[in-house]
Amino acid sequence: MEYIHFHVFLDGVEVGRWSETNIGQLPDSLGKLVGRAKAIEYDRILRTNIEVDVPGEYTEEQLRLLHTPHRGE
């Protein structure tokens, strides 16, 4: 899995999106939102090329923790 694409929806409308290069940080980053065990489960599912919905309500600050800017951003 080289890239991970995130889409953020609010009331069924996409309000944000970004992509990350996978450098093995997904369980740690996503674990901040959903807990380590669930993040590891999502990582395993994503490696089979299946989309994963992460239901719940999150603050903008929590979502920023997932987005690690690349050099030059």
Side-chain angles (χ1 to χ4, degrees):
M1 178 168 57
E2 292 184 47
Y3 299 98
I4 303 165
H5 302 282
F6 293 93
H7 300 264
V8 179
F9 290 86
L10 178 63
D11 296 327
V13 177
E14 186 174 298
V15 296
R17 72 167 69 183
W18 72 92
S19 297
E20 294 288 334
T21 302
N22 182 23
I23 55 172
Q25 82 285 4
L26 181 64
D28 292 333
S29 296
L30 194 54
K32 294 173 187 173
L33 289 181
V34 298
R36 180 101 175 129
K38 193 59 125 172
I40 290 170
E41 177 185 341
Y42 288 156
D43 183 61
R44 181 185 53 77
I45 293 168
L46 287 168
R47 289 177 186 281
T48 64
N49 293 320
I50 298 173
E51 291 181 2
V52 173
D53 288 331
V54 181
E57 295 183 11
Y58 306 100
T59 66
E60 189 174 336
E61 183 60 32
Q62 288 174 304
L63 294 175
R64 275 196 204 115
L65 292 174
L66 294 175
H67 181 58
T68 52
H70 303 289
R71 291 181 190 181
E73 265 191 49

